[in-house]
Amino acid sequence: MLNLSKKNSQPEDKTERKSLFERFKEGLSKTKEKLSSTLGEIFVVEKLIDLAFLEELEEKLILSDLGVETTMALLDPFKNKILKGEPVTTSDLKRELKRISLNLLADYEKPFPPDGKPGVLFFLGVNGVGKTTTIAKLALKLKEANKKVLLIAGDTFRAAAIDQLKKWGERLNIPVVAQQEGADASSVIYQGLEKALREDYDFVLIDTAGRLHTKYNLMEELKKMYRVMDKLVPREKRVNLLVLDATTGQNAISQAEHFSKAIPIDALIITKMDGTAKGGIALAVSHKYKLPILFIGLGEKAEDLLAFDKEAFISAILPD
Amino acid sequence: MFENLSERLEKALAGFRDRGKLSPDDIKKGLREIRLALLEADVNYRVVKDFLARIEARALSAEVLESLTPFQQIVKIVYDELVNTLGGKAQGLNLSTKPTVILLAGLQGSGKTTTAGKLALFLKKRGHNPLLVSTDVYRPAAIEQLKILSQKINIPFFDASPSEGALEIANNAFKMAKNTGRDVLIVDTAGRLHIDEDLMEELQSLKESLKPVETLLVADAMMGQDAVNVAKTFHERVGLTGIILTKVEGDARGGAALSMKEVTGCPIKFLGVGEKLEALEVFHPERLASRILGMGDMLTLIEKAQEAIDFRKAKDLEKKIKKMQFDLEDLRDQLQQMKKLGSVRDILRFLPGLGNKLQNLPIDEREILKMEAILNSMTPQERRNPHIINASRKRRIAKGSGTTVQDVNKLLKSFEEMKAIMKQFKNPGKMQGLLRRVLGI
């Protein structure tokens, strides 16, 4: 079966499971190194914590882009305990932080990718988050699982965006439905979905132009694409994926809010987790908008797109 | 721009407003609010710390504590420190050598290629002859992208194939710039992570070979706490001369702008403010500081108006209004010129004291589009002589513009009202204000 998400990958052998887990942790090592070493420093000695300790922790969490709100939400229960004079030890704090953070991350409840002939994956996001590259990576994975995959070049705005997807199509030997630059994106999508239905494709991956979430017209265009898809493929066979850049700060919250106002978002993909950005915002967005994270991007190669694993993510961020 | 930060800061400062005199405690409380505002805007944690320390030191001085108008003093201090943190005076490009090489670098997806096109157009408009080249041999169709952009703005492009090396392409482009008398060479590079050793070495070799006068980091304004690490590492590896912030037109919170200069010492030189190739603004720290503090930015608005408005037409219009010959044709012109300035919301943001209060005001830009559609569906004769528009013409116009006869009537009625008001004032300077009033926006 497809080894794309945890839910979907039950009958696999132990070594493979481990390697995926290890690979995930390895890729996150920079994240882990940074955050856990800084946290590690203050967590070395088992001791009772005080307010100054919490303040130090607050700095670390904010520096990892967790945001003021989430940081407070995480730390306030401990602060209250300390203020009431209850003893809290560093190991209590560590254990609890891990538990709470795990709870903050939403779960993906449906099977992924959706069965459907075609199952449709619709990629959205602001400019430059890595939508096209992510599509190429995911398409390769699906193809390697012997699925019949079609790409649709829905970014008809940016210069050479269509060429970019077409070149990926050539490299991966996957057909690409495209029109010329400036064409109506909805019309390309309609044409692509018709082809997929006619020719019995398993999965369709749709690229869209990067759009800042504050632009009214571009959000309206998105709604139109959504309506066009409604005509050909039922909603339950489609997954709307919001792609977020891990280096983004608190603005990611605004992105999630505006995009979900335009059309329902099903899940997130976090890209560029291989830099020094800690991606703390992923936690905040996932929690605030109940959006599960499906994949994270840890590099340029296809194998660098990894199924998201909650436990691994949290234990890579928080020290063991 | 940076409305979120602006709103929070104004709120924090408002706490000082109604106090006749400030105690050290009041100040500390206010500063806590400012701290939260900055942190929520992604300003780097350490930059916030230093920023507040400086403000606190000045705010706790006898000057403020004993002042009878402490609010103004505090605002002044915050303004000064904002300007400082943002980089003081605006810094232009150094274009002293010929050809001047401008090297653009940055993370993936920060907007380097679009910025290269924008910068080329910016320089062309100011009398330079730039040559564009892309050394991004990694991302599929990256070279193609800049090539298409260069064709759109009609600026020469040094074409190359991804099979050549980045360095080779750059050196050949430099030769071409020299031989063809181009005075600026803008070099786009592949997006790279600041911790990618191979690609950072490539960037260093580009820098050594091309000896660019300007090495600019192109960075996404929405970046979080990591912005300072990225800027610092790029600066350490290749020596930056400035920063261009992109995607500023969204609701970026401004943290990157406030942090990067402070940490690297490199000035922010430009802001990317839209998808159009004209959307590049020179960065003025004072103006941004005053916008952040809700004090407006009339200078930028005036500059924008000077670029967008056709003054010959404006003169004509003035005459027409005086003679009361203003017709729908002129109204259409006016609307089009206003549109060139940006959306109504954009324009209002520049005005002192209005900036944030309009955030949630439902300004319907579509009303203006509708008006334009109606006007466009009229014949020139109808626009010059609105009185000939009878019921049948109205039906045709409504159909043609995708509106209703009621919409057409509304526009005609507004126009009559507008004329009536003009008769009273006969003052062309009030034109924009009148338009706003009559359009009900």
Side-chain angles (χ1 to χ4, degrees), chain A residues 20-300:
Chain A
L20 177 76
F21 191 78
E22 286 306 309
R23 170 85 189 86
F24 183 77
K25 285 188 86 166
E26 186 192 317
L28 274 172
S29 64
K30 282 161 215 136
T31 313
K32 186 174 159 66
E33 237 169 62
K34 279 274 167 184
L35 194 65
S36 64
S37 67
T38 43
L39 285 180
E41 258 166 54
I42 55 176
F43 274 132
V44 254
V45 215
E46 168 79 12
K47 58 170 183 185
L48 287 179
I49 58 169
D50 53 15
L51 290 177
F53 182 94
L54 280 184
E55 202 165 298
E56 211 177 319
L57 190 55
E58 178 199 283
E59 171 177 348
K60 315 287 180 207
L61 295 179
I62 286 179
L63 276 174
S64 56
D65 282 324
L66 225 58
V68 177
E69 203 180 310
T70 312
T71 302
M72 301 292 180
L74 279 177
L75 298 184
D76 276 352
F78 301 105
K79 201 172 177 179
N80 293 339
K81 271 191 184 170
I82 293 170
L83 288 174
K84 271 191 250 158
E86 289 172 37
V88 183
T89 67
T90 42
S91 61
D92 291 341
L93 180 62
K94 250 171 23 175
R95 202 183 45 244
E96 274 296 287
L97 268 183
K98 199 166 172 174
R99 190 187 61 79
I100 301 172
S101 321
L102 271 173
N103 278 339
L104 287 180
L105 288 166
D107 282 310
Y108 193 74
E109 310 284 356
K110 289 170 277 183
F112 185 89
D115 293 332
K117 279 206 176 270
V120 175
L121 307 181
F122 186 50
F123 291 79
L124 335 151
V126 299
N127 315 64
V129 289
K131 286 178 292 298
T132 311
T133 310
T134 304
I135 287 174
K137 289 176 182 174
L138 201 54
L140 179 63
K141 286 196 176 204
L142 290 164
K143 193 181 155 79
E144 279 171 347
N146 288 319
K147 298 294 168 183
K148 198 174 168 193
V149 183
L150 181 68
L151 305 181
I152 298 179
D155 181 354
T156 54
F157 178 79
R158 181 167 64 82
I162 296 170
D163 281 331
Q164 188 183 347
L165 195 68
K166 274 187 176 167
K167 283 195 178 153
W168 273 118
E170 277 165 34
R171 276 190 206 173
L172 307 175
N173 197 18
I174 293 174
V176 178
V177 174
Q179 292 178 10
Q180 74 287 7
E181 194 184 317
D184 177 15
S186 302
S187 129
V188 188
I189 292 174
Y190 193 88
Q191 189 193 340
L193 290 181
E194 266 190 327
K195 179 184 164 80
L197 285 165
R198 203 168 50 232
E199 297 171 20
D200 219 17
Y201 277 88
D202 295 311
F203 294 107
V204 181
L205 279 63
I206 304 174
D207 194 10
T208 59
R211 63 199 72 229
L212 285 185
H213 47 291
T214 49
K215 295 210 170 137
Y216 176 84
N217 288 344
L218 294 179
M219 288 314 204
E220 288 298 304
E221 186 190 57
L222 213 52
K223 290 185 194 165
K224 182 174 169 196
M225 293 182 214
Y226 184 81
R227 289 194 299 269
V228 163
M229 287 189 278
D230 272 341
K231 288 186 185 155
L232 292 176
V233 180
R235 175 70 178 92
E236 64 272 15
K237 294 181 179 177
R238 297 176 355 227
V239 181
N240 302 327
L241 294 158
L242 179 64
V243 184
L244 295 177
D245 181 334
T247 60
T248 309
Q250 303 310 302
N251 191 261
I253 291 177
S254 172
Q255 290 172 24
E257 183 190 328
H258 283 82
F259 274 100
S260 3
K261 258 187 209 157
I263 70 169
I265 304 296
D266 300 306
L268 303 171
I269 295 180
I270 315 289
T271 60
K272 309 187 199 173
M273 283 289 286
D274 48 334
T276 47
K278 294 163 200 94
I281 196 59
L283 202 68
V285 173
S286 177
H287 171 60
K288 192 156 187 183
Y289 295 97
K290 304 276 167 284
L291 291 173
I293 303 165
L294 268 183
F295 293 95
I296 58 166
L298 289 164
E300 304 260 347

Side-chain angles (χ1 to χ4, degrees), chain B residues 92-102 123 128 182-185 211-214 241 269:
Chain B
L93 289 172
N94 175 358
L95 301 167
S96 51
T97 56
K98 253 179 200 179
T100 303
V101 178
I102 301 177
L123 290 170
H128 293 279
R182 313 303 299 182
D183 62 347
V184 184
L185 174 66
K211 302 205 169 41
V213 177
E214 293 281 1
T241 58
K269 296 202 168 176

